[in-house]
Amino acid sequence: MALMTLAQAREDFFAAMETLRSSKVRSALTVLGIVIGVSSVISMAAIIQGLNKFVQDRVEALGSRTTLSRDFRLARILPAGRKAFAPQVF
């Protein structure tokens, strides 16, 4: 793998600058797209962090002696014609 010489790097830099100068609208739209993309990622990260903090504060406000439980029933795969959730007596 050959290293790029200073003259080649300078030539590539000037070629890139010439391309940017020749297509200003495309360059501006590219920069605008990058700015919008980065700002949307930063905004979403901030919103998620804020929601996490909100939920954490609400859970901490419940206290250490409060427990939450929820009954989740999973449907079983049954043969055709049978009901998945038959009434159960506890």
Side-chain angles (χ1 to χ4, degrees), residues 5-6 17-18 22 27-28 30 32 49 55-56 61-62 85:
T5 64
L6 183 59
M17 293 307 291
E18 181 62 33
S22 66
S27 299
T30 301
L32 181 64
Q49 185 177 8
V55 170
Q56 182 180 3
L62 292 173
F85 292 105

Side-chain angles (χ1 to χ4, degrees), residues 37-55:
V38 170
S39 63
S40 66
V41 168
I42 291 171
S43 298
M44 291 304 295
I47 290 170
I48 290 171
Q49 185 177 8
L51 286 173
N52 284 339
K53 179 71 172 143
F54 174 75
V55 170

Side-chain angles (χ1 to χ4, degrees), residues 14 24 26 28-29 31 39 46-47 70 79 82:
F14 287 129
K24 292 178 184 176
R26 187 171 80 181
L29 289 175
V31 169
S39 63
I47 290 170
R70 174 95 186 189
R82 294 195 55 198

